[in-house]
Every structure is written in structure tokens, then in C-alpha cells.
Amino acid sequence: LQILINNGAVLDLANKHGETPLMRATNVARHSHAVSVYEWHFAPEDQSICVKHALQSMETLLRSGCLVPDTKHKQSDLLVDTWNFLDTITSVSSVSFTVIKVLIMVMKMLVLAGCKPDDRLLAYIRHDVRQSQQEKVTQFADWLEEYRSQPMRLQEICRVAIRKIMRPPQLRSLHSVPLPNKLKVYILFEELNL
């Protein structure tokens, strides 16, 4: 993925089904839950690996300038599909706590990149908070409730606008632009590093 991005791949180009690479990453992992086209069954550990790779792909796409979908329905589906990875992650007892941290980081990146969390997402999260023993899940639910209860800050609106204007090549070279380092870190979501 990084090789494609470095060589100028268009990150927001949709396929014939209207799916962007960001949306496709959730679909690939989601389909690992069921039987594939060739009727192979995925073991829970394999599902977890698919989810981990999907989350890493989503993180890479978002950091590289991929835009979130422009309709509320697609944004909602993307957020819910990404959140539903939690079921796969928690179904494997050997899964690393780091994968849950990556999931929450990607969810925050999606929201901060402009995806609007809706009531459907909050219902899923509230249900999972009751079921989960993970403190990080509870902390994310609290963060999202607080984020949703307030209007977007001007700083966040500016980040979304700047990322829409700048394309991946410009974002990759942002560190060489004479801007304050704190601003570069903010635009590139680097403040959300694990």
C-alpha cells in the first residue's frame, strides 16, 4: 500500500461499486467473518489478522490524505463497520491489546477527519461498553460522547479543510514546508500516534 501511495496512487478513487480504498479495507476484514467466495472458513486468529491489517491500511490511508466519504450514510457505515472489528478482536483471547488501541486510534482519526458519528454508532458503542472489560473502549465511548455533544472546534474544521485541499503528494512533503512543527503534526494526525 505504501509503495502505491508513494508512486501517486489516487486514494479517493471509487471502484464500480462506489467503494473507496478506505471503505474497501473495512469490507475485506468484514468478509473474513463469513465464508469467502471459495468457501474457505477463516479461523478466529485469521480473522483477527485480517482486522489488524485492515486497520493498519486505514491508518496509512488516513495519514496519507485519504478523504472520508462525503455522504452521512457512507460515513455512518464506515464508522459502524470499523467499530464492529471490536467483535473480531475480542473473540480471540490471544489478540494483542495493541490491536484495540489501533482500532480506537483509527476511529478517532475517522471522526477527526470529518466522519460524523450518529445514533446508530453510539448504540453499538454503548452496547459494547456494557459487554467489554476493556478500559480503552469505555474511554473512547466517553470521548465520543463528549466530542459529539460540542460543535467542532475551529482547529478541527481547519484540519478537515486543509486535508481536503492538500492531496497526498503535498501531505507527504508537508514536513519540508516552513510551518510550525506543531501544525504539521496536527494536520498529519501524528498527535494520535500510539
Side-chain angles (χ1 to χ4, degrees):
L1 179 60
Q2 195 61 57
I3 292 170
L4 291 171
I5 292 169
N6 291 344
N7 286 292
V10 180
L11 303 181
D12 303 314
L13 194 62
N15 64 15
K16 66 181 179 180
H17 305 291
E19 298 172 316
T20 64
L22 195 57
M23 296 160 70
R24 191 75 191 126
T26 63
N27 292 340
V28 169
R30 187 176 64 233
H31 292 309
S32 72
H33 289 294
V35 180
S36 75
V37 178
Y38 301 104
E39 298 188 359
W40 295 334
H41 293 275
F42 286 88
E45 293 80 12
D46 295 333
Q47 290 176 8
S48 184
I49 291 169
C50 285
V51 166
K52 181 180 177 186
H53 289 300
L55 289 170
Q56 289 170 338
S57 296
M58 292 175 76
E59 178 187 0
T60 300
L61 287 165
L62 287 164
R63 288 191 191 282
S64 299
C66 187
L67 300 176
V68 297
D70 55 358
T71 65
K72 287 183 181 179
H73 175 72
K74 287 182 178 179
Q75 289 177 8
S76 175
D77 286 349
L78 181 61
L79 285 168
V80 169
D81 289 346
T82 304
W83 182 256
N84 283 335
F85 288 159
L86 184 68
D87 292 337
T88 303
I89 294 168
T90 56
S91 70
V92 180
S93 59
S94 64
V95 78
S96 170
F97 177 67
T98 305
V99 179
I100 292 175
K101 287 170 53 177
V102 172
L103 168 68
I104 290 170
M105 180 184 64
V106 168
M107 286 294 293
K108 282 185 176 182
M109 288 173 78
L110 287 169
V111 170
L112 294 173
C115 275
K116 305 280 188 278
D118 61 6
D119 292 335
R120 182 173 67 131
L121 174 68
L122 290 175
Y124 279 109
I125 291 174
R126 284 187 198 110
H127 173 267
D128 289 339
V129 164
R130 287 191 296 272
Q131 302 271 335
S132 176
Q133 303 299 319
Q134 297 287 339
E135 184 180 334
K136 283 282 185 192
V137 173
T138 305
Q139 289 172 351
F140 175 71
D142 293 344
W143 175 86
L144 190 61
E145 289 278 354
E146 184 180 332
Y147 181 87
R148 196 164 177 247
S149 70
Q150 302 170 16
M152 276 180 82
R153 297 178 312 174
L154 180 59
Q155 185 178 9
E156 293 163 352
I157 294 169
C158 290
R159 172 166 49 193
V160 171
I162 289 168
R163 289 178 65 84
K164 282 183 180 177
I165 292 169
M166 294 184 82
R167 301 310 308 142
Q170 289 93 15
L171 282 175
R172 275 196 306 278
S173 62
L174 188 63
H175 281 293
S176 63
V177 176
L179 289 171
N181 196 45
K182 191 172 183 179
L183 181 60
K184 296 176 200 178
V185 164
Y186 186 76
I187 291 170
L188 297 172
F189 290 118
E190 290 176 358
E191 84 277 12
L192 294 177
N193 286 341
L194 292 177

